[in-house]
Amino acid sequence: MVTRLVHITMKARDLNALGDFWAQALGWGVIVEEPGVVINIEPEGFHYPDPAAISIDMVVSAEPKTVKNRVHVDLATTSTAHQAELVARLTELGAKPVDVGQGDDASWIPMADPEGNEFCVLAPGPLVQDTGPIASVVVDCADPRAMARFWGEATDWTLLKATDESAAFRSSTGLGPYLQFLRTPDVKTVWNRVHLDVRPYADGDPDAEAARLRALGATKIELDGIGWQVFADPEGNEFCLLTPR
């Protein structure tokens, strides 16, 4: 039994405004799951769950953003001109450039959405030509090799590399964006505003999967009144185990 990464969840103080920003940024549509509480942002005509895209679930939250997010997305571009055009369009939508210590020679352009959530606009390259608008989901961590071991067992995604500085996965289908873990000196101090959500396959047993995740090193987080299970990975990054589908 294994899980699969199906989407990321992002907290939003202004659900409609932030949802509109990301829908326009990605060229995707908005599906209202629970008015005023939860919306889904995914490609038009998308049949969820499909590894061809990692969609975004956005949930309303009054909590202010206080620190740099430990989970962010990288956006793909197809040419140097496209990178410049995308940055200009995102700026018009309300994004701003940010300094995350990238240096003057960085090929990627770090930005923040209207609520301060960091993301990067990547330079063109062969690895991001067929990912869709989201090239990768990136998680800060202290030990990429340890994260590779845990997430390599937790999901059926294929491990492409693991070094002391980074680890990278992609769906076993070879479609869609990458999942990356990057070494950072920052220490996790608050609940992540953006987190991963995984789901067993249709014939999976969520309780058996929960037990397997705990055996791999995940910690169960007890929350009342929800229909899914919440865990933290070995470095404390929260993630949700959803019901099979």
Side-chain angles (χ1 to χ4, degrees):
M1 291 179 60
V2 289
T3 65
R4 48 185 167 161
L5 177 61
V6 289
H7 56 252
I8 60 172
T9 292
M10 180 184 298
K11 293 181 179 179
R13 302 190 75 183
D14 188 330
L15 189 67
N16 292 331
L18 195 61
D20 184 63
F21 169 85
W22 279 104
Q24 292 192 59
L26 300 171
W28 290 357
V30 176
I31 299 172
V32 178
E33 182 174 324
E34 189 174 348
V37 180
V38 182
I39 60 174
N40 310 131
I41 302 166
E42 59 186 42
E44 298 285 356
F46 183 63
H47 297 290
Y48 171 93
D50 187 327
I54 297 300
S55 55
I56 300 173
D57 268 19
M58 197 167 286
V59 298
V60 69
S61 172
E63 299 172 8
K65 183 178 184 292
T66 58
V67 299
K68 175 183 174 291
N69 287 349
R70 294 186 68 80
V71 182
H72 72 267
V73 297
D74 287 342
L75 303 187
T77 63
T78 57
S79 67
T80 301
H82 180 215
Q83 185 184 32
E85 291 166 2
L86 181 56
V87 168
R89 185 168 67 83
L90 293 168
T91 301
E92 291 180 357
L93 292 173
K96 296 180 179 180
V98 293
D99 185 350
V100 293
Q102 68 273 14
D104 295 335
D105 59 346
S107 61
W108 64 92
I109 300 174
M111 305 188 77
D113 71 18
E115 292 200 4
N117 299 299
E118 299 85 3
F119 64 94
C120 294
V121 181
L122 301 184
L127 294 180
V128 298
Q129 293 302 302
D130 62 350
T131 61
I134 295 180
S136 60
V137 177
V138 182
V139 183
D140 291 350
C141 68
D143 188 342
R145 291 186 187 276
M147 290 295 93
R149 287 191 293 271
F150 173 80
W151 286 99
E153 293 290 336
T155 73
D156 66 350
W157 279 36
T158 300
L159 178 64
L160 303 176
K161 73 168 184 176
T163 71
D164 291 341
E165 298 302 320
S166 66
F169 291 87
R170 199 178 192 189
S171 166
S172 56
T173 64
L175 300 174
Y178 296 86
L179 173 64
Q180 296 193 70
F181 295 89
L182 300 184
R183 179 185 290 277
T184 174
D186 300 335
V187 177
K188 186 178 187 297
T189 58
V190 299
W191 189 289
N192 290 346
R193 290 189 69 80
V194 183
H195 67 257
L196 309 181
D197 288 328
V198 299
R199 189 185 291 275
Y201 284 84
D203 59 351
D205 180 337
D207 291 331
E209 192 60 39
R212 192 179 70 86
L213 291 170
R214 288 195 297 270
L216 291 174
T219 302
K220 181 75 177 292
I221 299 174
E222 298 296 340
L223 295 176
D224 296 328
I226 59 175
W228 57 91
Q229 300 183 68
V230 182
F231 292 86
D233 72 15
E235 289 203 4
N237 297 299
E238 300 86 7
F239 68 95
C240 292
L241 174 64
L242 308 180
T243 55
R245 184 169 175 179

